[in-house]
Each structure stands twice: as C-alpha cells, then as structure tokens.
Short mmCIF file of all heavy atoms in Angstrom, two decimals:
data_model
loop_
_atom_site.label_atom_id
_atom_site.label_comp_id
_atom_site.label_asym_id
_atom_site.label_seq_id
_atom_site.Cartn_x
_atom_site.Cartn_y
_atom_site.Cartn_z
N ARG A 1 4.04 -85.87 -47.96
CA ARG A 1 5.38 -86.19 -48.65
C ARG A 1 6.10 -87.17 -47.80
O ARG A 1 5.95 -87.19 -46.55
CB ARG A 1 6.22 -84.88 -48.79
CG ARG A 1 5.65 -83.89 -49.78
CD ARG A 1 6.60 -82.83 -50.14
NE ARG A 1 5.85 -81.75 -50.85
CZ ARG A 1 6.14 -80.47 -50.82
NH1 ARG A 1 7.21 -80.03 -50.17
NH2 ARG A 1 5.40 -79.62 -51.48
N GLY A 2 6.86 -87.99 -48.45
CA GLY A 2 7.50 -89.08 -47.72
C GLY A 2 8.79 -89.48 -48.36
O GLY A 2 9.19 -88.99 -49.37
N TRP A 3 9.36 -90.58 -47.74
CA TRP A 3 10.59 -91.14 -48.18
C TRP A 3 10.35 -92.65 -48.32
O TRP A 3 9.82 -93.33 -47.44
CB TRP A 3 11.70 -90.97 -47.09
CG TRP A 3 12.05 -89.51 -46.95
CD1 TRP A 3 11.59 -88.61 -46.06
CD2 TRP A 3 13.02 -88.83 -47.77
NE1 TRP A 3 12.19 -87.41 -46.21
CE2 TRP A 3 13.07 -87.48 -47.26
CE3 TRP A 3 13.87 -89.14 -48.85
CZ2 TRP A 3 13.92 -86.48 -47.77
CZ3 TRP A 3 14.66 -88.21 -49.35
CH2 TRP A 3 14.73 -86.88 -48.83
N PHE A 4 10.90 -93.12 -49.46
CA PHE A 4 10.90 -94.58 -49.77
C PHE A 4 12.39 -94.89 -50.01
O PHE A 4 13.20 -94.06 -50.35
CB PHE A 4 10.09 -94.92 -51.01
CG PHE A 4 8.62 -94.84 -50.74
CD1 PHE A 4 7.94 -93.62 -50.60
CD2 PHE A 4 7.82 -96.03 -50.68
CE1 PHE A 4 6.61 -93.54 -50.40
CE2 PHE A 4 6.45 -95.96 -50.51
CZ PHE A 4 5.83 -94.70 -50.33
N ARG A 5 12.73 -96.15 -49.89
CA ARG A 5 14.12 -96.56 -50.27
C ARG A 5 14.01 -97.84 -51.05
O ARG A 5 13.13 -98.71 -50.85
CB ARG A 5 14.93 -96.76 -49.02
CG ARG A 5 14.60 -97.92 -48.15
CD ARG A 5 15.50 -97.95 -46.90
NE ARG A 5 15.07 -98.98 -45.94
CZ ARG A 5 15.34 -99.01 -44.67
NH1 ARG A 5 16.05 -97.99 -44.14
NH2 ARG A 5 14.97 -99.99 -43.92
N GLN A 6 15.06 -98.08 -51.85
CA GLN A 6 15.16 -99.24 -52.61
C GLN A 6 16.57 -99.83 -52.55
O GLN A 6 17.52 -99.14 -52.94
CB GLN A 6 14.77 -98.95 -54.13
CG GLN A 6 14.71 -100.21 -54.99
CD GLN A 6 13.99 -99.91 -56.28
OE1 GLN A 6 13.82 -98.82 -56.75
NE2 GLN A 6 13.52 -100.99 -56.89
N ALA A 7 16.66 -100.98 -52.03
CA ALA A 7 17.96 -101.68 -51.87
C ALA A 7 18.17 -102.47 -53.11
O ALA A 7 17.19 -102.80 -53.82
CB ALA A 7 17.96 -102.57 -50.66
N PRO A 8 19.45 -102.81 -53.45
CA PRO A 8 19.72 -103.56 -54.67
C PRO A 8 18.96 -104.90 -54.71
O PRO A 8 18.97 -105.63 -53.72
CB PRO A 8 21.20 -103.82 -54.55
CG PRO A 8 21.71 -102.69 -53.74
CD PRO A 8 20.62 -102.39 -52.78
N GLY A 9 18.26 -105.10 -55.79
CA GLY A 9 17.49 -106.38 -55.96
C GLY A 9 16.21 -106.45 -55.26
O GLY A 9 15.62 -107.51 -55.18
N LYS A 10 15.79 -105.35 -54.56
CA LYS A 10 14.56 -105.38 -53.71
C LYS A 10 13.57 -104.34 -54.28
O LYS A 10 13.97 -103.42 -55.01
CB LYS A 10 14.86 -105.10 -52.31
CG LYS A 10 15.75 -106.21 -51.62
CD LYS A 10 15.84 -106.01 -50.19
CE LYS A 10 16.60 -107.15 -49.54
NZ LYS A 10 16.73 -106.97 -48.05
N GLU A 11 12.37 -104.42 -53.81
CA GLU A 11 11.32 -103.47 -54.22
C GLU A 11 11.45 -102.23 -53.41
O GLU A 11 12.07 -102.19 -52.31
CB GLU A 11 9.96 -104.11 -53.98
CG GLU A 11 9.62 -105.22 -54.96
CD GLU A 11 8.14 -105.57 -54.87
OE1 GLU A 11 7.46 -105.13 -53.99
OE2 GLU A 11 7.70 -106.42 -55.67
N ARG A 12 10.96 -101.11 -53.96
CA ARG A 12 10.95 -99.87 -53.23
C ARG A 12 9.99 -99.99 -52.11
O ARG A 12 8.84 -100.40 -52.27
CB ARG A 12 10.55 -98.75 -54.21
CG ARG A 12 10.83 -97.38 -53.74
CD ARG A 12 10.57 -96.29 -54.82
NE ARG A 12 11.40 -96.51 -55.99
CZ ARG A 12 11.43 -95.69 -56.98
NH1 ARG A 12 10.72 -94.60 -57.02
NH2 ARG A 12 12.20 -95.95 -58.03
N GLU A 13 10.50 -99.61 -50.88
CA GLU A 13 9.65 -99.71 -49.71
C GLU A 13 9.53 -98.34 -48.97
O GLU A 13 10.44 -97.51 -49.03
CB GLU A 13 10.33 -100.75 -48.78
CG GLU A 13 11.69 -100.38 -48.23
CD GLU A 13 12.22 -101.38 -47.26
OE1 GLU A 13 11.62 -102.49 -46.97
OE2 GLU A 13 13.33 -101.16 -46.75
N PHE A 14 8.45 -98.28 -48.24
CA PHE A 14 8.12 -97.08 -47.43
C PHE A 14 9.06 -96.96 -46.26
O PHE A 14 9.45 -97.91 -45.66
CB PHE A 14 6.70 -97.16 -46.96
CG PHE A 14 6.31 -96.04 -46.01
CD1 PHE A 14 5.88 -94.85 -46.53
CD2 PHE A 14 6.34 -96.26 -44.66
CE1 PHE A 14 5.51 -93.81 -45.67
CE2 PHE A 14 5.98 -95.25 -43.81
CZ PHE A 14 5.52 -94.02 -44.29
N VAL A 15 9.52 -95.73 -45.95
CA VAL A 15 10.34 -95.49 -44.81
C VAL A 15 9.61 -94.56 -43.84
O VAL A 15 9.41 -94.95 -42.62
CB VAL A 15 11.64 -94.83 -45.20
CG1 VAL A 15 12.51 -94.50 -43.97
CG2 VAL A 15 12.45 -95.77 -46.12
N ALA A 16 9.17 -93.37 -44.29
CA ALA A 16 8.55 -92.42 -43.39
C ALA A 16 7.78 -91.44 -44.25
O ALA A 16 8.14 -91.17 -45.39
CB ALA A 16 9.54 -91.72 -42.49
N ALA A 17 6.75 -90.77 -43.69
CA ALA A 17 6.02 -89.71 -44.36
C ALA A 17 5.49 -88.74 -43.37
O ALA A 17 5.25 -89.03 -42.21
CB ALA A 17 4.93 -90.32 -45.21
N VAL A 18 5.16 -87.52 -43.88
CA VAL A 18 4.63 -86.50 -43.04
C VAL A 18 3.40 -85.93 -43.80
O VAL A 18 3.35 -85.67 -44.98
CB VAL A 18 5.66 -85.37 -42.76
CG1 VAL A 18 6.22 -84.81 -44.08
CG2 VAL A 18 5.14 -84.28 -41.88
N ASN A 19 2.35 -85.63 -42.95
CA ASN A 19 1.15 -84.95 -43.45
C ASN A 19 1.59 -83.51 -43.64
O ASN A 19 1.90 -82.83 -42.68
CB ASN A 19 0.06 -85.15 -42.45
CG ASN A 19 -1.30 -84.46 -42.86
OD1 ASN A 19 -1.29 -83.33 -43.26
ND2 ASN A 19 -2.38 -85.21 -42.79
N TRP A 20 1.47 -83.07 -44.87
CA TRP A 20 1.93 -81.68 -45.15
C TRP A 20 1.14 -80.61 -44.43
O TRP A 20 1.70 -79.62 -44.00
CB TRP A 20 1.89 -81.42 -46.66
CG TRP A 20 2.58 -80.13 -47.05
CD1 TRP A 20 2.00 -78.98 -47.55
CD2 TRP A 20 3.96 -79.93 -46.93
NE1 TRP A 20 2.95 -78.06 -47.74
CE2 TRP A 20 4.15 -78.61 -47.40
CE3 TRP A 20 5.10 -80.69 -46.58
CZ2 TRP A 20 5.41 -78.00 -47.48
CZ3 TRP A 20 6.34 -80.07 -46.63
CH2 TRP A 20 6.51 -78.79 -47.10
N GLY A 21 -0.09 -80.86 -44.14
CA GLY A 21 -0.96 -79.87 -43.50
C GLY A 21 -0.73 -79.77 -42.04
O GLY A 21 -0.43 -78.67 -41.45
N ASP A 22 -0.85 -80.93 -41.32
CA ASP A 22 -0.74 -80.90 -39.85
C ASP A 22 0.53 -81.41 -39.28
O ASP A 22 0.68 -81.34 -38.04
CB ASP A 22 -1.92 -81.60 -39.22
CG ASP A 22 -1.88 -83.14 -39.51
OD1 ASP A 22 -0.84 -83.71 -39.84
OD2 ASP A 22 -2.96 -83.76 -39.23
N GLY A 23 1.45 -81.85 -40.10
CA GLY A 23 2.77 -82.34 -39.58
C GLY A 23 2.78 -83.71 -38.98
O GLY A 23 3.90 -84.06 -38.41
N SER A 24 1.67 -84.40 -38.93
CA SER A 24 1.72 -85.69 -38.36
C SER A 24 2.51 -86.67 -39.17
O SER A 24 2.69 -86.44 -40.35
CB SER A 24 0.28 -86.26 -38.16
OG SER A 24 -0.38 -86.37 -39.48
N THR A 25 3.12 -87.61 -38.51
CA THR A 25 4.12 -88.51 -39.20
C THR A 25 3.77 -90.00 -39.07
O THR A 25 3.03 -90.44 -38.26
CB THR A 25 5.49 -88.27 -38.54
OG1 THR A 25 5.42 -88.53 -37.15
CG2 THR A 25 5.98 -86.86 -38.76
N HIS A 26 4.40 -90.75 -40.04
CA HIS A 26 4.16 -92.17 -40.14
C HIS A 26 5.55 -92.81 -40.38
O HIS A 26 6.31 -92.26 -41.20
CB HIS A 26 3.18 -92.49 -41.23
CG HIS A 26 1.90 -91.88 -41.11
ND1 HIS A 26 0.78 -92.52 -40.50
CD2 HIS A 26 1.42 -90.56 -41.30
CE1 HIS A 26 -0.25 -91.73 -40.51
NE2 HIS A 26 0.12 -90.53 -40.91
N TYR A 27 5.77 -93.94 -39.83
CA TYR A 27 7.05 -94.58 -40.03
C TYR A 27 6.92 -96.11 -40.21
O TYR A 27 5.97 -96.75 -39.65
CB TYR A 27 7.95 -94.46 -38.77
CG TYR A 27 8.35 -93.04 -38.50
CD1 TYR A 27 7.63 -92.22 -37.61
CD2 TYR A 27 9.49 -92.49 -39.06
CE1 TYR A 27 7.98 -90.92 -37.34
CE2 TYR A 27 9.85 -91.13 -38.78
CZ TYR A 27 9.07 -90.39 -37.92
OH TYR A 27 9.45 -89.11 -37.67
N THR A 28 7.82 -96.70 -40.94
CA THR A 28 7.88 -98.19 -40.96
C THR A 28 8.53 -98.59 -39.65
O THR A 28 9.21 -97.84 -39.00
CB THR A 28 8.73 -98.65 -42.19
OG1 THR A 28 8.55 -100.06 -42.27
CG2 THR A 28 10.14 -98.28 -42.03
N ASP A 29 8.27 -99.83 -39.27
CA ASP A 29 8.78 -100.31 -37.92
C ASP A 29 10.26 -100.18 -37.83
O ASP A 29 10.79 -99.78 -36.70
CB ASP A 29 8.37 -101.74 -37.77
CG ASP A 29 6.89 -101.89 -37.46
OD1 ASP A 29 6.22 -100.87 -37.11
OD2 ASP A 29 6.34 -103.04 -37.50
N SER A 30 11.06 -100.41 -38.90
CA SER A 30 12.50 -100.39 -38.82
C SER A 30 13.02 -98.97 -38.62
O SER A 30 14.19 -98.82 -38.22
CB SER A 30 13.09 -101.05 -40.04
OG SER A 30 12.83 -100.31 -41.19
N ALA A 31 12.22 -97.94 -38.94
CA ALA A 31 12.66 -96.58 -38.84
C ALA A 31 12.31 -96.00 -37.48
O ALA A 31 12.92 -94.94 -37.11
CB ALA A 31 12.06 -95.76 -39.97
N LYS A 32 11.30 -96.48 -36.82
CA LYS A 32 10.82 -95.95 -35.57
C LYS A 32 11.96 -95.92 -34.56
O LYS A 32 12.67 -96.90 -34.29
CB LYS A 32 9.63 -96.69 -35.02
CG LYS A 32 8.36 -96.56 -35.81
CD LYS A 32 7.25 -97.45 -35.24
CE LYS A 32 6.01 -97.31 -36.13
NZ LYS A 32 4.98 -98.32 -35.70
N GLY A 33 12.12 -94.79 -33.90
CA GLY A 33 13.13 -94.59 -32.88
C GLY A 33 14.50 -94.18 -33.40
O GLY A 33 15.35 -93.82 -32.65
N ARG A 34 14.73 -94.34 -34.72
CA ARG A 34 16.00 -93.99 -35.28
C ARG A 34 15.91 -92.87 -36.30
O ARG A 34 16.83 -92.04 -36.42
CB ARG A 34 16.65 -95.22 -35.99
CG ARG A 34 16.94 -96.36 -35.07
CD ARG A 34 17.74 -97.42 -35.86
NE ARG A 34 17.03 -97.91 -37.04
CZ ARG A 34 17.54 -98.05 -38.25
NH1 ARG A 34 18.83 -97.64 -38.44
NH2 ARG A 34 16.86 -98.49 -39.23
N PHE A 35 14.81 -92.86 -37.07
CA PHE A 35 14.59 -91.82 -38.12
C PHE A 35 13.60 -90.83 -37.69
O PHE A 35 12.61 -91.16 -37.03
CB PHE A 35 14.22 -92.49 -39.42
CG PHE A 35 15.23 -93.37 -40.03
CD1 PHE A 35 16.44 -93.64 -39.45
CD2 PHE A 35 14.94 -93.99 -41.26
CE1 PHE A 35 17.36 -94.45 -40.05
CE2 PHE A 35 15.84 -94.83 -41.89
CZ PHE A 35 17.06 -95.10 -41.25
N THR A 36 13.71 -89.56 -38.18
CA THR A 36 12.69 -88.56 -37.92
C THR A 36 12.44 -87.81 -39.24
O THR A 36 13.35 -87.30 -39.83
CB THR A 36 13.16 -87.55 -36.86
OG1 THR A 36 13.50 -88.23 -35.63
CG2 THR A 36 12.07 -86.55 -36.56
N VAL A 37 11.19 -87.82 -39.62
CA VAL A 37 10.81 -87.04 -40.76
C VAL A 37 10.16 -85.73 -40.32
O VAL A 37 9.41 -85.71 -39.33
CB VAL A 37 9.83 -87.86 -41.70
CG1 VAL A 37 8.51 -88.23 -40.95
CG2 VAL A 37 9.52 -87.08 -42.99
N SER A 38 10.47 -84.63 -41.02
CA SER A 38 9.96 -83.39 -40.66
C SER A 38 9.78 -82.50 -41.86
O SER A 38 10.23 -82.87 -42.94
CB SER A 38 10.93 -82.64 -39.66
OG SER A 38 12.19 -82.43 -40.23
N ARG A 39 9.01 -81.44 -41.73
CA ARG A 39 8.72 -80.54 -42.84
C ARG A 39 9.08 -79.11 -42.50
O ARG A 39 8.95 -78.77 -41.28
CB ARG A 39 7.31 -80.65 -43.29
CG ARG A 39 6.37 -79.93 -42.45
CD ARG A 39 4.95 -80.27 -42.71
NE ARG A 39 3.88 -79.42 -42.22
CZ ARG A 39 3.64 -79.02 -41.01
NH1 ARG A 39 4.47 -79.25 -40.03
NH2 ARG A 39 2.59 -78.29 -40.70
N ASP A 40 9.49 -78.35 -43.45
CA ASP A 40 9.61 -76.89 -43.38
C ASP A 40 8.62 -76.38 -44.31
O ASP A 40 8.84 -76.33 -45.47
CB ASP A 40 11.03 -76.45 -43.63
CG ASP A 40 11.22 -74.97 -43.43
OD1 ASP A 40 10.25 -74.18 -43.63
OD2 ASP A 40 12.28 -74.52 -42.86
#
C-alpha cells in the first residue's frame, strides 16, 4: 500500500509505499528524510 499525490495541473506521482507483509518501505527522493510511511 502506498501514497501518491497530485498537484494542480500535474500528473499523479509516487510519494511512499510499504510492503504489507514485511513492512519494508520505499520513498521518492523528495520525501526521504521528511516523510515516514508505516502500517498497522
């Protein structure tokens, strides 16, 4: 499961995602260090 965002006039872009099974995470460069994706 993950998060995408869409700014006005732009395409929907990837932000972050988490592997539902093992909890490993992936981030776009602009989100690294500022955003944290997690799962319950």
